[in-house]
Amino acid sequence: MLLIHHLRAFPTTSLSPRSLTISTALSSSSSSTKQQHKLWSGLDNWRKSPVNDLRLWGPTGPLLPSSDSISPGFYGLVSAASSLADLGALVLSTSDPLSKSHISHLAFSRWRRENLPVGSISHLPSSPARPPKPLLVATNEVPNPKDSNLPLNAHMLHNLAHVELNAIDLAWDTVARFSPFFHVLGRNFFDDFAHVADDESRHFLWCSQRLAELGFKYGDIPANNLLMRECEKTSNNVAARLAVIPLVQEARGLDAGPRLVKRLTGFGDNRTSKIVAKIAEEEVAHVAVGVDWFLSVCQKMNRAPSPTFKDLIKEYGVELRGPFNHSAREVAGIPRDWYDPSCGTEVDKGDNKQGDKEQLSAVYDRLTQIISMESENSSLERPAK
C-alpha cells in the first residue's frame, strides 16, 4: 500500500538501477488495471463540470442562494489562504456547521478560479473542529425515531445531515493530510477530493434548510462518530483511506439512498424525498472517484485491486454489511466480488496466502524505493531559489 506513516515524507535516497527497474516495470503495467476495470461512465464529465453554485433547494429543485447568504468575513478567510492544503485546514478548523459548508464552497471556488498550488501541511489535528451539538455517542446509542422526539422525516434528515457534514471534513482531510505526497499522487487527486468536499457541502445545506422548514435543526439529537473514527484510523495510509471511506462508507449511501427515498415518499414528504434522491444520485461520483484512485494506487503497488481491497478491509477492521445495492455499486465501478463473499473464488476466500504480512512488507519496501526515486526527481526538477 501507499504507506504514509506519521505524514513524514520518505527519505530521499540516491537513484539505483533496482529502483529504475521497478519504476519501469510499474509504468509498463500502469494502464492495464484500468483498461480491465469498468469505471463510471460519467466520471470525466463530473471532473470537467463547472463549480456548482446551486446551494439552496427551491420549489422544484436546486437554485442559487441570495447574494447576502454568505458572511463577508468568510471571503477574507478564504482569500488569505496560500494553497489548497491551507484551504482544507481552514475548513477543518471551522466548528460551526453552516460556516464550514459556506467556507468549503468558497475554498473550492477559489481553487478552481485561481492557479493555486496544492501546498503541503505536515501536521493536522487528529479530528476536525466540532460544534457543541450534536452530542456524539456510540452508534447503538443514537436514538431511534420513536425516542428522538423528531418525526420520521426529520430524524432521517438529521442523520443524513450528519453524514454530509462528516463527509465535508473527510474529503478536506484527505486533501490536507496527504498533501505532502503531491509528487506521488498528482494534482488531479487533490482536485477530485476538493470537488467531493464541495458537493458534500451543498448536500449539507439542503438537509439543513429542509430541517429548518420542518422546525428543527442539525444538533437536535445525538449522532455517531463512526466516519471520523474511520478517518483517524486511515490517517497514515492513503490506500486504506480510499478503501475504507469511498469504497465502504460512501458506498453504503448507494445502498441506503433508494430505501430512504421510498420511506420518505411513504411518509408523505415528497419534498424531502426529492432532496435525498438528488443527493443519492450525486454520491455515485464520490464512490467512482474512490474507485479510480484506488486503482491508481494499486498500479503503483503492482498489485491486484480486489485482494488488496480485501486485505485492507480486514487489516482495518471494517465491516462490509448489506443489503447491497448491486446495480448502483456496479454503475459506480465497484465489482461485486470486492464486497460480496458469495461471488468470491476459493482463492478470494482465503486459500491464497499472497496477502500475508511478509508479502505486504515486501510491497511496502518496494514502494518506498519508488517514492524515494520520484521525490528525488521532483527535487531535481525544481528551480533553485
Side-chain angles (χ1 to χ4, degrees), residues 22-346:
I22 294 169
S23 180
T24 301
L26 289 178
S27 298
S28 65
S29 64
S30 62
S31 61
S32 60
T33 301
K34 288 188 180 181
Q35 289 174 347
Q36 298 169 5
H37 194 102
K38 185 178 179 181
L39 294 171
W40 177 48
S41 60
L43 188 55
D44 284 343
N45 287 337
W46 177 83
R47 283 172 165 155
K48 295 174 184 175
S49 62
V51 175
N52 189 336
D53 292 319
L54 303 178
R55 312 286 292 169
L56 293 181
W57 194 270
T60 59
L63 51 72
L64 292 169
S66 60
S67 58
D68 60 352
S69 63
I70 299 179
S71 168
F74 295 160
Y75 291 95
L77 290 171
V78 170
S79 63
S82 60
S83 69
L84 182 66
D86 288 334
L87 289 168
L90 173 62
V91 177
L92 293 168
S93 65
T94 302
S95 60
D96 177 71
L98 289 175
S99 299
K100 184 187 292 286
S101 179
H102 290 312
I103 292 173
S104 180
H105 180 57
L106 292 176
F108 179 65
S109 299
R110 185 178 172 218
W111 161 254
R112 278 293 183 89
R113 187 176 64 250
E114 302 177 22
N115 189 28
L116 289 176
V118 169
S120 179
I121 293 181
S122 298
H123 300 285
L124 281 175
S126 60
S127 58
R130 276 286 176 263
K133 289 185 177 181
L135 177 67
L136 299 180
V137 297
T139 303
N140 60 359
E141 295 177 7
V142 176
N144 59 41
K146 292 182 180 179
D147 298 330
S148 69
N149 296 320
L150 269 62
L152 177 65
N153 55 346
H155 184 273
M156 294 170 66
L157 262 176
H158 189 281
N159 289 344
L160 183 56
H162 183 65
V163 170
E164 300 302 330
L165 185 69
N166 276 272
I168 298 171
D169 283 327
L170 281 164
W172 281 117
D173 184 90
T174 299
V175 168
R177 194 167 299 279
F178 298 114
S179 60
F181 304 94
F182 163 75
H183 293 291
V184 177
L185 296 168
R187 187 179 180 90
N188 289 341
F189 174 91
F190 298 95
D191 181 68
D192 275 354
F193 282 95
H195 193 165
V196 169
D198 186 51
D199 287 353
E200 307 291 18
S201 70
R202 185 173 64 255
H203 297 168
F204 175 79
L205 281 184
W206 290 345
C207 293
S208 182
Q209 174 191 344
R210 183 57 182 149
L211 276 172
E213 293 171 356
L214 295 171
F216 304 97
K217 64 182 181 301
Y218 176 67
D220 279 349
I221 60 174
N224 70 66
N225 200 30
L226 173 64
L227 288 177
M228 294 318 301
R229 288 203 308 270
E230 303 286 24
C231 179
E232 292 174 18
K233 286 197 310 187
T234 59
S235 63
N236 66 347
N237 189 325
V238 72
R241 172 65 60 87
L242 295 168
V244 172
I245 301 304
L247 303 188
V248 176
Q249 302 300 347
E250 292 203 72
R252 286 174 178 167
L254 304 183
D255 302 330
R259 299 198 302 270
L260 293 179
V261 171
K262 186 175 181 179
R263 291 186 69 188
L264 287 164
T265 302
F267 187 75
D269 188 348
N270 291 325
R271 180 170 169 81
T272 304
S273 71
K274 290 178 181 178
I275 293 172
V276 173
K278 183 62 175 175
I279 290 173
E281 174 190 324
E282 293 190 358
E283 292 293 343
V284 172
H286 306 168
V287 178
V289 163
V291 173
D292 192 27
W293 286 109
F294 185 76
L295 293 173
S296 294
V297 171
C298 287
Q299 289 170 5
K300 289 183 179 294
M301 293 160 34
N302 202 22
R303 277 180 57 87
S306 179
T308 303
F309 173 75
K310 294 172 185 177
D311 287 343
L312 286 165
I313 295 308
K314 182 178 180 180
E315 179 181 350
Y316 284 81
V318 178
E319 181 184 2
L320 291 170
R321 59 175 185 269
F324 301 113
N325 185 340
H326 298 300
S327 59
R329 284 169 173 256
E330 182 180 1
V331 168
I334 306 180
R336 186 164 177 172
D337 68 287
W338 285 23
Y339 62 87
D340 187 350
S342 66
C343 289
T345 62
E346 290 304 310

